Amino acid sequence: LFLTLLINSDAQEREVPEKQLDEELKIFISRFRYAPIREPLKKNVHLYNLGKNLFSDKKISMAGDTACITCHQPNLGTGDGLPLSIGTGGRGEGLRRKQGSGMATLRNAPPLYNKTHPGFKRLFWDGRVQFKRGPKSFKTPNPNLNGEEPLFADIVDQLENASAAQSLFPLINEIEMRGHQFSNLSDIEVWDEILRRILNRKIYKDLFEKAFPDENWNIGHVGKALAHFQDVEFTTRETGWDSYLKGNRSALSLPEKRGAIIFTSKGRCFMCHNGKHLTNFGFENIIVPHLSLNENFMDDGRRKVDKRKGFAFRFVVPPLRNVGLTAPYFHNGSMVTLEDVVTHYNEPIESISSYTADKINRIFGSNYNDSFISQYDEEANKLLFRNASRRLPLNLNLSNKEQKNLVLFLRKSLTE
């Protein structure tokens, strides 16, 4: 029956009764384990208030000019709206942020929606922060946090999920929040200094005492508070898709349902975007065009964590709720719109062969000191194609109407 539906869904511009679409979607929903999102954790008011203040405070950075919210703005889909984030030394916020005396990061700011949920065990585009629940252990760029008996056990004791651990690493990244002027300090020296500065302010001392009474505070408490704030604030659970999954068949319009059918059949999106969070949590190479401000930089993705050549150019499969709010797309922000993303998937070889940085430079050029470039050398291109995901179709043959409906499903049905 599934194969019959899949074959039927390949018909160009097919018009079928809405009831039949609902019946087909019911089968796809079951097969690919789509389910609504859980409610956020019960709000701990004191922990939430501490996390909320820390999230928006530039004093949490060593240079004192960059906050978490600088690159993760709620009104920009918990990103910054830029292809590559601009770290410490930059000026302004969001789409008006200028590089100035600072540096641009190497990747697009990943959205924060639902990242505190149990399924998210590997964070950052390359998964360099990993969490194992039982027995509890982490694998991170700082070896003192890693394993079942970490040297910094007092910090790890406070970290309850991957998100809590992940939040500690922008603080020690020289480009993002640390600054090159503090490159001589160790990670723990930076974390301790940030905590000292925070606790020197009465507002934070009061917040810490309410959130963590009778405890010896460390940077892990900061991570725990930030993660709780994000869970309450950025859990996305009331999309049209979630309502539909709960049985409300009128939650999606007819074109949205057609887009959902494309998503779960001919568009092959389900190959990677399945399950409750619309991701398989894996790492895939979908032949993303190169985009960089540095002609000597080659981002080989997961291979920075796992040195095996087969992991080159693999990046984490992102979840899709609120994807309509999180432009630009991919690990380097190389696609400006969802239409661009769908066009890329429709014919990835053609997409990467014809890709230039012209559109990015036209829209975002004034934010950066240098222009974007978009080419790999010949050997890198060979590796890029050789390591392409086996789940990536090279020609979907989606019609214009099918692409339009798919974009509508992504932009409207998955937005809270």
Side-chain angles (χ1 to χ4, degrees), residues 257-327:
K257 291 177 182 179
R258 291 186 178 128
I261 290 291
I262 296 299
F263 184 91
T264 53
S265 58
K266 183 179 179 180
R268 314 296 285 178
C269 311
F270 67 86
M271 296 289 287
C272 296
H273 296 284
N274 49 55
K276 181 184 296 186
H277 289 285
L278 300 169
T279 174
N280 62 5
F281 300 105
F283 298 86
E284 304 289 347
N285 171 9
I286 55 167
I287 319 182
V288 174
H290 177 60
L291 187 72
S292 175
L293 293 164
N294 183 347
E295 63 182 358
N296 297 315
F297 174 68
M298 181 183 74
D299 193 343
D300 55 1
R302 180 66 177 165
R303 195 180 182 190
K304 293 189 183 304
V305 178
D306 190 317
K307 301 302 181 183
R308 288 175 288 179
K309 186 174 287 189
F311 282 90
F313 304 109
R314 291 190 189 184
F315 296 88
V316 72
V317 176
L320 295 182
R321 279 177 181 78
N322 277 356
V323 68
L325 308 178
T326 62

Side-chain angles (χ1 to χ4, degrees), residues 63-76:
D65 63 357
T66 309
C68 304
I69 202 172
T70 301
C71 296
H72 297 286
Q73 301 205 328
N75 64 329
L76 290 173

Side-chain angles (χ1 to χ4, degrees), residues 136-173:
K136 177 181 174 181
S137 66
F138 289 92
K139 184 177 180 181
T140 74
N142 188 305
N144 296 312
L145 299 176
N146 298 346
E148 295 178 20
E149 297 181 359
L151 184 62
F152 295 165
D154 56 335
I155 294 176
V156 172
D157 283 346
Q158 300 302 320
L159 306 177
E160 298 176 340
N161 51 39
S163 181
Q166 180 273 333
S167 66
L168 303 184
F169 285 91
L171 304 177
I172 56 174
N173 184 287

Side-chain angles (χ1 to χ4, degrees), residues 55-58 60 65-90 92-95 97 103-112 124-125 166 170 173 175-177 234 325-328 368:
F55 189 81
S56 302
D57 196 338
K58 293 181 179 180
I60 200 174
D65 63 357
T66 309
C68 304
I69 202 172
T70 301
C71 296
H72 297 286
Q73 301 205 328
N75 64 329
L76 290 173
T78 66
D80 54 17
L82 301 175
L84 305 178
S85 294
I86 296 171
T88 181
E93 302 291 335
L95 296 172
R97 189 163 175 78
M103 291 185 65
T105 64
L106 302 177
R107 292 175 180 159
N108 180 261
L112 301 180
F124 289 115
W125 281 105
Q166 180 273 333
N173 184 287
I175 296 175
E176 294 179 45
M177 299 178 77
F234 302 134
L325 308 178
T326 62
Y368 302 91

